[in-house]
């Protein structure tokens, strides 16, 4: 099965509602960028690359709205829409990367009519979507080469097709390993509080007939201690210039456990997830989410009323605990500052030749 979290047809954005999976497979349609911003906030769509691609389509919808309203000076309205979309989720840098790319495309359209700009911005969003799938496939192949055959991979949250425009980053590595003929099994952490591992990773792997075993988060230590896990592979929401990586809360303890048990710990992320402007993990903004995500399970309260809650959505794994960062341009190893910059420069050089 090909999971298609984000679809654009005839000027309408369609998102697979990830808050309902796996019990319901429902698509929602969007023609208003404000509703798109709300969908990102409420995690109808989630995962750093998927958020970026969705926001890009949001900008295209805003441009069309301005065109339909007969706007002659469309740029101020477009910038307001970009600000609304940027205010949704602070950690996933792909959101800001995609919005900057849409802003740069808008700069090139200065002097054009709103209708011309709307068509060109829809094409730009489509290019971002297609590039993400292509990057994931290349990244997957680089990562698959690091895995033994047979192998068992432990992963956290969902860095799969659902979290991207398709194919996935961490799960792209798993898919590529399987496609290359390797026998691969996955151990998926359930990923409290929103259960992206149980609801999304387990679902998309099972749909693709990839062997997956679900564990609760507090079982990961025992699972690694018993042996037989060959690698921990996770995605990232933002990788700082020095290689520190923000990912779903609970990733950092996995990296500590992997180090303790001599298991390689890989981050799989496209270069659009690397924030070269942020020197280290200390500069990565960490999203705090609603307390109800912790006090409630599937709408049912499981904690005392009025209890104090801390609910950071992400943690930061120090570069020193990361064995390698797998990107579409190749595999970076410590020291990450130089290695990531070299991969970025090589990718940019290859792009300018094309
Ligand atoms: O809060 P979420 O579900 O958006 O968090 C997602 C993650 O932490 C993913 O691992 C990350 O965005 C990488 S997705 C390829």
């Amino acid at each position: 099965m090909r999971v298609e979290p984000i679809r654009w047809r005839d000027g309408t954005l369609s998102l697979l509602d990830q808050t309902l999976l796996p019990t319901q497979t429902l698509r929602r349609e969007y023609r208003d960028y404000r509703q798109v911003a709300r969908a990102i906030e409420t995690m109808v769509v989630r995962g750093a690359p998927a958020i970026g691609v969705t926001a890009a389509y949001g900008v295209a919808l805003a441009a069309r709205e301005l065109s339909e309203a007969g706007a002659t000076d469309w740029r101020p309205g477009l910038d307001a829409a970009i600000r609304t979309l940027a205010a949704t989720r602070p950690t996933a840098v792909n959101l800001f990367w995609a919005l900057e790319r849409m802003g740069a495309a808008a700069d090139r359209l200065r002097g054009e009519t709103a209708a011309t700009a709307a068509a060109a911005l829809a094409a730009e969003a489509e290019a971002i979507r297609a590039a993400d799938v292509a990057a994931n496939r290349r990244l997957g192949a680089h990562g698959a080469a690091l895995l033994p055959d047979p192998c068992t991979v432990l992963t956290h949250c969902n860095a799969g097709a659902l979290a991207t425009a398709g194919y996935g980053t961490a799960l792209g590595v798993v898919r590529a390993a399987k496609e290359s003929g390797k026998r691969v099994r996955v151990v998926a952490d359930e990923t409290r509080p929103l259960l992206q591992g149980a609801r999304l990773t387990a679902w998309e792997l099972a749909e693709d007939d990839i062997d997956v075993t679900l564990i609760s988060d507090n079982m990961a230590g025992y699972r690694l201690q018993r042996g037989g896990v060959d690698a921990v592979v996770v995605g990232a929401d933002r990788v700082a210039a020095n290689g520190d990586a923000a990912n779903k809360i609970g990733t950092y303890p996995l990296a500590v456990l992997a180090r303790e048990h001599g298991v390689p710990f890989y981050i799989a992320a496209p270069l659009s997830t690397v924030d070269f402007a942020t020197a280290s993990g200390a500069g990565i903004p960490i999203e705090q989410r609603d307390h109800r995500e912790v006090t409630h399970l599937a709408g049912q309260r499981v904690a005392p009323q009025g209890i104090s809650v801390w609910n950071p959505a992400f943690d930061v794994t120090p570069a020193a605990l990361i064995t390698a960062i797998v990107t579409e341009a190749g595999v970076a190893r410590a020291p990450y500052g130089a290695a990531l910059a070299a991969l970025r420069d090589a990718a940019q050089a290859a792009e300018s030749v094309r």
Side-chain angles (χ1 to χ4, degrees):
M1 196 208 57
R2 233 184 109 234
V3 176
E4 215 185 350
I6 306 161
R7 199 186 282 158
W8 175 260
R9 294 255 199 295
D10 304 324
T12 298
L13 177 68
S14 152
L15 299 174
L16 182 58
D17 187 341
Q18 300 193 30
T19 66
L20 302 177
L21 286 170
T23 45
Q24 276 186 70
T25 338
L26 183 106
R27 301 199 75 90
R28 296 190 187 279
E29 299 204 325
Y30 299 86
R31 294 178 64 83
D32 180 333
Y33 78 86
R34 300 163 198 83
Q35 299 301 324
V36 173
R38 186 81 193 121
I40 294 172
E41 245 163 31
T42 57
M43 295 172 69
V44 166
V45 62
R46 33 63 55 200
I51 291 170
V53 171
T54 302
Y57 283 120
V59 175
L61 288 174
R64 200 201 30 228
E65 184 180 306
L66 289 159
S67 162
E68 285 171 356
T72 43
D73 184 9
W74 47 268
R75 191 57 201 259
L78 197 79
D79 285 340
I82 289 176
R83 283 195 298 276
T84 299
L85 290 158
T88 49
R89 296 197 70 192
T91 305
V93 79
N94 303 62
L95 170 64
F96 308 100
W97 173 88
L99 290 174
E100 261 168 41
R101 190 167 149 176
M102 295 301 282
D107 289 344
R108 294 193 295 277
L109 292 160
R110 200 180 302 257
E112 299 289 352
T113 64
T116 302
L121 290 171
E124 185 71 7
E126 183 56 22
I128 291 175
R129 187 202 62 74
D132 184 58
V133 179
N136 291 340
R137 287 196 172 269
R138 290 201 299 278
L139 176 167
H142 289 304
L146 300 171
L147 299 178
D149 178 26
C151 68
T152 297
V153 169
L154 192 147
T155 193
H156 189 64
C157 192
N158 173 265
L162 287 166
T164 61
Y167 203 69
T169 59
L171 299 190
V173 170
V174 167
R175 285 197 167 88
K178 188 178 178 209
E179 283 163 20
S180 74
K182 287 183 177 170
R183 288 152 294 170
V184 53
R185 305 176 121 167
V186 175
V187 176
D189 274 1
E190 67 173 348
T191 316
R192 272 286 285 152
L194 292 182
L195 304 175
Q196 289 93 329
R199 297 188 303 103
L200 308 177
T201 293
W203 179 76
E204 77 162 79
L205 291 179
E207 288 286 317
D208 264 3
D209 280 328
I210 295 173
D211 186 326
V212 56
T213 300
L214 180 64
I215 60 171
S216 63
D217 297 340
N218 52 359
M219 296 170 188
Y222 184 44
R223 186 66 191 80
L224 285 161
Q225 188 186 47
R226 280 174 57 119
V229 174
D230 300 288
V232 176
V233 186
V234 295
D237 275 75
R238 190 185 296 226
V239 178
N242 72 343
D244 292 349
N247 191 51
K248 180 51 54 194
I249 191 77
T251 300
Y252 164 60
L254 276 184
V256 174
L257 283 165
R259 173 63 53 94
E260 171 70 15
H261 296 293
V263 173
F265 179 90
Y266 298 119
I267 295 282
L271 287 170
S272 54
T273 300
V274 183
D275 178 4
F276 290 97
T278 296
S280 76
I284 299 178
I286 299 295
E287 177 182 8
Q288 294 283 335
R289 290 189 61 88
D290 197 310
H291 290 185
R292 285 176 58 92
E293 291 179 355
V294 177
T295 55
H296 288 63
L297 255 181
Q300 289 289 317
R301 192 151 56 80
V302 291
Q305 197 129 31
I307 196 78
S308 294
V309 169
W310 187 51
N311 185 20
F314 303 98
D315 58 24
V316 178
T317 299
L321 293 176
I322 299 171
T323 310
I325 300 176
V326 184
T327 78
E328 70 275 31
V331 177
R333 291 186 189 267
Y336 288 107
L340 290 169
L343 289 178
R344 173 199 56 193
D345 294 347
Q348 280 172 356
E351 191 60 36
S352 65
V353 171
R354 229 175 269 153

